Amino acid sequence: MGVLNVTPDSFSDGGAHADRRAAFDHGYAMHEAGVDIVDVGGESTRPGADAVPADEELRRVVPAIGWLAAAGVVVSVDTSKPSVARAAVAAGAAIVNDVTGLRDPEMIEVLTSCDAGVVVMHMLGTPRTMQADPTYADVVTEVRDHLVERATAAESAGISRDRIVIDPGIGFGKTLGHNLELLAGLDELVRTGYPVLVGASRKSFMAKLIGEVPPGERDAPTHAVHALAIAHGAAVIRVHDAVGGVFGARSADAIVRLNRGGGT
């Protein structure tokens, strides 16, 4: 999954793709580089980010989604707003990536009215509050149980299990220790039977491991983390660096498949 931020305040690219033509060009370039899904987001979810009105988010994401889908790209929309999800699916989005884990009941209604896939993510609070002293007794167990509860609620509402992917929400309401524990304990999430998405790309916790470097210089640790996530059973990785992400994922996946007797 390649990240396409069409926001002026993205933590990673600083709004480089907020222009509509730039958004399409970058999204299609990621597609040509081999990503399977282009994830279009019109509202920053970096720590402390302010909410964006639905009409502004729609203005940002719908044109890019429509153009990319028409060009044959599989598109997901990164949104927590039911109205944006509904319009995005109508424009051609095949997946709704909800960082709030279907917290809004209306989002479940939107998804039951279509056949789009859904990514259910774990996050404490909101982007504005999530890093204010996040606390867990057992982060792996609590995140796993929360995701299973939300996925089960989606199934009970009529969303088939094969449409659901779960995401532990690396960096969303977690300390450095929590992020590392979740990555090391990814097998627990995989054992739920739901495909697991890991999005560690350029996250700030990496700077605490390698030194204070800007987001654009965190691709090497990103690919290392994602390779280990694949080794632990991750089905999807979410990346900013499409070429490096694809190369790293294919290499890690080939080793995992061979180790499991699946050939290359």
Side-chain angles (χ1 to χ4, degrees), residues 121-203:
M121 198 192 83
H122 177 277
M123 174 175 61
L124 283 182
T126 67
R128 179 178 286 184
T129 64
M130 63 187 179
Q131 290 305 113
D133 191 29
T135 303
Y136 304 85
D138 182 330
V139 67
V140 175
T141 298
E142 290 176 45
V143 169
R144 179 200 63 197
D145 290 352
H146 174 82
L147 290 172
V148 169
E149 184 274 324
R150 299 312 303 146
T152 301
E155 289 187 68
S156 297
I159 300 169
S160 61
R161 187 182 180 94
D162 61 1
R163 292 167 56 190
I164 300 171
V165 173
I166 61 173
D167 177 354
I170 300 299
F172 285 80
K174 283 94 178 174
T175 65
L176 169 62
H178 295 146
N179 290 320
L180 295 178
E181 286 181 57
L182 281 167
L183 290 164
L186 205 63
D187 311 68
E188 287 294 317
L189 276 69
V190 172
R191 278 195 281 270
T192 66
Y194 295 101
V196 176
L197 182 153
V198 172
S201 186
R202 298 180 178 176
K203 293 289 175 69

Side-chain angles (χ1 to χ4, degrees), residues 198-248:
V198 172
S201 186
R202 298 180 178 176
K203 293 289 175 69
S204 61
F205 81 92
M206 293 179 181
K208 297 175 182 177
L209 296 173
I210 64 172
E212 291 297 332
V213 298
E217 296 178 20
R218 298 174 191 163
D219 288 333
T222 290
H223 302 324
V225 168
H226 284 162
L228 286 169
I230 291 168
H232 281 277
V236 186
I237 57 168
R238 184 176 183 273
V239 300
H240 294 86
D241 171 24
V243 173
V246 168
F247 288 174

Side-chain angles (χ1 to χ4, degrees), residues 14-55:
H17 310 118
D19 172 80
R20 291 182 177 184
R21 183 69 206 187
F24 174 80
D25 288 347
H26 186 61
Y28 197 77
M30 288 194 291
H31 167 71
E32 290 194 310
V35 303
D36 300 292
I37 305 159
V38 172
D39 191 41
V40 180
E43 179 178 37
S44 177
T45 53
R46 60 181 170 76
D50 292 326
V52 173
D55 58 348

